[in-house]
């Protein structure tokens, strides 16, 4: 009994010690940093890993140092042209991992996520309120840049790094959206009609140019053909004058005469030409020159015999 009593006394003493030890165990993950406070005062920064703190006396607050995103939530903003636009944005940020930044995110601002959301909403109202709805939609890059710059300047003392901001939506009222869609549709139809007319004009212009080229080609071919015929005639005449000499030339003229007579063509033959003598010979008549010469010769012969 005495031994059991001793064991029981040991357990009574050891059990609170064991519970006290386990109560002070803290594990910090790699995605967090820990702030250890002792009796309400900051003591040190706890890196990822195993830590033991004095229960009740010490407290540890873990801070997430990974990239986080908060949604600014849709809000109605009156634009410069007096239209109510539904605007929403997202902000990506993280707590910097150095000790001062981790301390600043906890001790210098109360609930930094909620603060960033409200700061983003206020900044969006200030920016978009100076723009028309059309310019706000076309200048999203500028809005994101101004929002990022404002949030960066306001949160840099909190140990917060604003990574980027994204303008999620800028939606006009339903009736305005419907009107804008009709305008866009009309503009697209106008552009399509202009493109169609331009294409038709291009086709017509191409056909016109093709017709002109065809006519010019036909004209040119006629000219070349006529020039060729003229050149051929010239060459034939030159050849006739060069090679049809004497009787050959006379024969060529007779062939031309024969062809003309077959068609009952009237030919005027100059007196004293070779053609007159040729035609006479063809008809059985002696040439005029030869007849006169024979008569003169015969008279001389008769006169000589008389003497």
């Amino acid at each position: 009994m005495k031994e059991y009593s001793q064991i029981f006394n040991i357990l009574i003493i050891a059990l609170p010690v064991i519970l006290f030890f386990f109560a002070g165990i803290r594990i910090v993950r790699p995605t967090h940093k820990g702030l250890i406070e002792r009796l309400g005062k900051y003591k040190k920064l706890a890196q990822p890993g195993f830590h033991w703190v004095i229960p009740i006396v010490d407290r540890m607050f873990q801070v997430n140092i990974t990239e986080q995103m908060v949604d600014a939530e849709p809000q109605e903003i009156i634009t410069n042209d007096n239209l109510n636009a539904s605007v929403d944005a997202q902000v990506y940020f993280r707590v910097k991992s150095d000790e001062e930044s981790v301390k600043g995110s906890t001790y210098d601002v109360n609930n930094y996520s909620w603060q960033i959301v409200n700061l983003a909403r206020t900044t969006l109202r200030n920016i978009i309120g100076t723009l028309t709805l059309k310019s706000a939609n076309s200048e999203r890059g500028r809005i994101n840049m101004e929002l990022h710059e404002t949030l960066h300047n306001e949160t840099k003392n909190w140990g917060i790094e604003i990574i980027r901001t994204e303008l999620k939506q800028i939606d006009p009222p339903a009736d305005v959206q419907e009107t804008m869609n009709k305008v866009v549709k009309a503009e697209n139809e106008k552009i399509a009609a202009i493109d169609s007319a331009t294409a038709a004009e291009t086709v017509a212009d191409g056909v016109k140019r093709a017709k002109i080229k065809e006519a010019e080609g036909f004209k040119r071919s006629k000219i070349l053909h006529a020039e060729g015929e003229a050149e051929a005639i010239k060459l034939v005449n030159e050849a006739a004058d060069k090679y049809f000499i004497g009787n050959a030339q006379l024969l060529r003229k007779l062939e031309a005469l024969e062809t003309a007579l077959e068609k009952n063509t009237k030919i005027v033959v100059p007196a004293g030409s070779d053609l007159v003598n040729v035609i006479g010979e063809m008809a059985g008549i002696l040439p005029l020159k030869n007849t006169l010469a024979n008569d003169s010769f015969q008279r001389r012969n008769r006169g000589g015999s008389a003497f």
Side-chain angles (χ1 to χ4, degrees), residues 4 19 55 64 108 126 170-171 209 212 220 228 259 261 275:
Y4 287 110
L19 293 176
N64 190 336
D108 295 341
N126 293 336
I170 303 179
D171 294 336
R209 288 198 299 268
I212 293 173
R220 184 61 183 168
T259 302
L261 292 175
L275 286 177

Side-chain angles (χ1 to χ4, degrees), residues 204-222:
D205 188 53
V207 172
K208 177 181 177 182
R209 288 198 299 268
K211 292 292 185 182
I212 293 173
K213 291 292 184 183
E214 182 180 357
E216 290 178 350
F218 182 75
K219 175 184 176 182
R220 184 61 183 168
S221 66
K222 286 293 186 181

Side-chain angles (χ1 to χ4, degrees), residues 20-229:
F20 183 80
F21 175 79
F22 279 103
I25 293 176
R26 298 289 185 272
I27 304 296
V28 180
R29 297 187 59 213
T31 58
H32 291 70
K33 291 291 181 71
L35 296 174
I36 298 177
E37 297 178 356
R38 175 165 295 173
L39 299 176
K41 293 183 179 181
Y42 173 74
K43 180 183 179 183
K44 66 176 182 178
L45 179 70
Q47 300 292 338
F50 174 85
H51 296 273
W52 188 83
V53 298
I54 302 175
I56 301 175
V57 177
D58 294 340
R59 296 183 63 188
M60 177 182 287
F61 299 91
Q62 295 197 28
V63 179
N64 190 336
I65 58 173
T66 61
E67 181 177 324
Q68 304 175 62
M69 185 273 292
V70 291
D71 195 320
E73 300 180 0
Q75 61 175 325
E76 296 292 329
I77 298 177
I78 300 177
T79 61
N80 193 40
D81 49 355
N82 296 322
L83 292 175
N84 291 327
S86 178
V87 182
D88 189 10
Q90 294 174 335
V91 181
Y92 297 83
F93 69 96
R94 71 179 183 88
V95 177
K96 291 182 285 187
S97 60
D98 61 278
E99 182 176 1
E100 290 301 320
S101 296
V102 175
K103 288 170 59 179
S105 66
T106 302
Y107 301 137
D108 295 341
V109 60
N110 180 29
N111 193 346
Y112 54 78
S113 296
W114 184 79
Q115 297 274 29
I116 290 174
V117 167
N118 284 275
L119 183 59
R121 290 169 64 88
T122 303
T123 304
L124 284 174
R125 284 196 297 269
N126 293 336
I127 296 173
I128 296 179
T130 62
L131 303 173
T132 63
L133 182 60
K134 183 177 180 180
S135 61
N137 276 286
S138 62
E139 298 182 13
R140 288 173 175 261
R142 171 193 164 190
I143 296 173
N144 284 328
M145 183 179 64
E146 292 186 8
L147 178 60
H148 179 276
E149 184 178 358
T150 300
L151 292 178
H152 172 73
N153 292 333
E154 294 295 331
T155 61
K156 61 183 179 181
N157 294 328
W158 303 349
I160 302 293
E161 178 186 3
I162 304 298
I163 299 173
R164 64 185 178 278
T165 57
E166 296 290 341
L167 193 60
K168 189 176 179 181
Q169 68 179 42
I170 303 179
D171 294 336
D175 55 342
V176 176
Q177 183 66 55
E178 183 178 357
T179 302
M180 292 174 64
N181 291 338
K182 290 180 179 179
V183 171
V184 172
K185 181 180 179 181
E187 287 291 336
N188 291 337
E189 291 177 351
K190 177 182 177 182
I191 293 173
I194 293 174
D195 291 343
S196 177
T198 303
E201 182 180 356
T202 302
V203 171
D205 188 53
V207 172
K208 177 181 177 182
R209 288 198 299 268
K211 292 292 185 182
I212 293 173
K213 291 292 184 183
E214 182 180 357
E216 290 178 350
F218 182 75
K219 175 184 176 182
R220 184 61 183 168
S221 66
K222 286 293 186 181
I223 292 173
L224 292 176
H225 183 69
E227 290 177 350
E229 290 182 349

